[in-house]
Every structure is written in C-alpha cells, then in structure tokens.
Amino acid sequence: EDQVTQSPEALRLQEGESSSLNCSYTVSGLRGLFWYRQDPGKGPEFLFTLYSAGEEKEKERLKATLTKKESFLHITAPKPEDSATYLCAVHLNTDKLIFGTGTRLQVFP
Amino acid sequence: ETGVTQTPRHLVMGMTNKKSLKCEQHLGHNAMYWYKQSAKKPLELMFVYNFKEQTENNSVPSRFSPECPNSSHLFLHLHTLQPEDSALYLCASSHSTGTSNQPQHFGDGTRLSIL
C-alpha cells in the first residue's frame, strides 16, 4: 500500500535554531514529490517540486532534498514567520497524489 | 484576481439544509479538485475534473454532489450532511491531470460546520 509519513508531528524551535523535517514514503512508482506550507485558516501554498533522487531545491531559509526513500526539508536559522504546517505530497506514476499529515512548526523569538 | 478563490470561507448548516460551495480559479488551468481536510488526517481527495469531465470520484457519499460547468469554476453541492462531514474543504487546480509534476494550487478553503 502506498504510504507517506511525516515526522516529527510537531516541532518547536528557537529563532535561529536550524532543523530538518522528514517525509518518508513507500510507494509503487514515484513521479515526483511536492512540499507545501499551510498557515492557519489558509490553503496549502506550493513550495517545491523534486523529481529524482539527489535533487535539491532552495528558497530563502528552506532547502528540500530527495532520496529514494525520503525527503527532507531543512530550515536554516528560522524566523517566527516560518511558523506553519509543512506538508509533503507524493505524486505517483498513476497520477495520484498522496499527502502526509504534516509537521506543525513553531518558531519562537 | 489571481489564484484560486473559494466562497464562502465559513459555513454553518444543519443536517437537513442544502448549500453549495464555490471555487473559481484564475490560473488558466484545466484540472480542478475537491479535497477534505480533517484534523490530524492527510488531505483526502474527493473529486477530480479534467477539462470539465469528472475523472475521479473517490468513493464519496452521494450527499456530496460536484459540478464543473467550465474549467474555471467548480461547485460542491451539499445536502443532508452528517456531523462527521465537518471539516475544511479545499479546492485546487492544476494545468491538467497527467501532466508530469505540475503542482496543484489551492484555495483557502471553506470551513464547514454541521450542527
């Protein structure tokens, strides 16, 4: 069965304290992987697409990486405005999109 | 306007009411989606439309009835809902289904509460 697991479920960081969020998957055929950010009361906002193992994408303090089994979202020197829920979604060869349950990140000043 | 717009943002209804959710996208996309988001659960895909044709119904109860009159508009008609249907309903759009790795873009959702 195709499955996507995100960890940790919640993460509290001090401003400037770098960390990583994990998205692991067991799927039948991977076409790509998406990262989204979701703020309270808002819909998911697209961040990155990763296509193949070894690929990396960066945007401001965020860097996403992909291996054959998992993806990481690295947050370098986070700020309070980075607080949000981060969702990953695996795009299968069948065109189906499977979401994880998200990591809720809180960054304190 | 740009992006994906959903109305209303909040809806409270009784179990016997009939209401509709509306979604409009200004991105020139051809595929539109309805998702249900409940606390601590992954987004659940409900329906997919590609070029106005329904291509997926993910075993959704008939009390949810989608309508896609054109590639820019999507509706979700609701009737005789149950308390467990209370959730955030998200609409998304993408270039088209089957297009390699084009991301879906989401609206801000309708928060639905069933009394």
Side-chain angles (χ1 to χ4, degrees):
Chain A
E1 184 185 347
D2 299 314
Q3 200 164 11
V4 177
T5 304
Q6 289 190 249
S7 61
E9 187 174 318
L11 182 62
R12 293 164 57 98
L13 297 175
Q14 203 72 32
E15 184 172 2
E17 180 187 359
S18 301
S19 189
S20 297
L21 282 54
N22 177 263
C23 172
S24 63
Y25 55 89
T26 52
V27 298
S28 48
L30 177 74
R31 185 180 286 183
L33 185 143
F34 300 116
W35 280 100
Y36 287 86
R37 168 191 171 129
Q38 186 172 22
D39 291 293
K42 300 279 192 178
E45 175 190 348
F46 169 71
L47 293 173
F48 303 111
T49 306
L50 298 167
Y51 295 91
S52 56
E55 188 175 3
E56 298 184 353
K57 293 272 180 76
E58 282 190 69
K59 181 179 178 180
E60 295 180 358
R61 295 176 292 282
L62 301 177
K63 183 167 83 171
T65 62
L66 181 66
T67 72
K68 288 186 178 179
K69 297 288 185 186
E70 58 192 348
S71 176
F72 290 94
L73 185 64
H74 306 280
I75 303 178
T76 301
K79 297 183 178 181
E81 53 262 42
D82 295 321
S83 298
T85 296
Y86 291 86
L87 302 171
C88 75
V90 170
H91 191 193
L92 304 182
N93 287 335
T94 56
D95 202 31
K96 192 175 177 184
L97 198 61
I98 301 178
F99 282 84
T101 52
T103 292
R104 184 164 54 86
L105 174 66
Q106 293 177 288
V107 182
F108 295 91
Chain B
E1 276 195 69
T2 58
V4 181
T5 305
Q6 290 188 242
T7 54
R9 293 295 316 279
H10 303 273
L11 180 62
V12 180
M13 56 187 286
M15 288 192 283
T16 57
N17 291 158
K18 289 184 181 181
K19 295 285 184 184
S20 296
L21 310 184
K22 179 182 175 183
C23 175
E24 184 173 1
Q25 60 94 1
H26 302 272
L27 298 169
H29 289 162
N30 297 301
M32 296 189 79
Y33 311 78
W34 279 117
Y35 286 88
K36 176 183 180 182
Q37 187 175 35
S38 305
K40 303 211 171 183
K41 286 186 174 181
L43 269 71
E44 299 173 50
L45 179 65
M46 300 175 71
F47 301 102
V48 181
Y49 280 82
N50 196 42
F51 292 92
K52 303 190 299 176
E53 299 297 319
Q54 188 179 119
T55 58
E56 187 158 349
N57 175 336
N58 204 22
S59 303
V60 180
S62 60
R63 57 186 184 269
F64 295 91
S65 175
E67 179 189 0
C68 188
N70 55 61
S71 292
S72 298
H73 294 84
L74 185 65
F75 296 89
L76 189 62
H77 304 298
L78 316 171
H79 64 96
T80 325
L81 294 193
Q82 304 299 309
E84 61 265 28
D85 297 323
S86 297
L88 181 67
Y89 288 84
L90 290 163
C91 172
S93 70
S94 70
H95 186 265
S96 66
T97 60
T99 305
S100 184
N101 284 330
Q102 291 297 312
Q104 294 176 19
H105 295 269
F106 287 82
D108 286 335
T110 295
R111 173 68 61 185
L112 177 65
S113 299
I114 306 300
L115 301 178

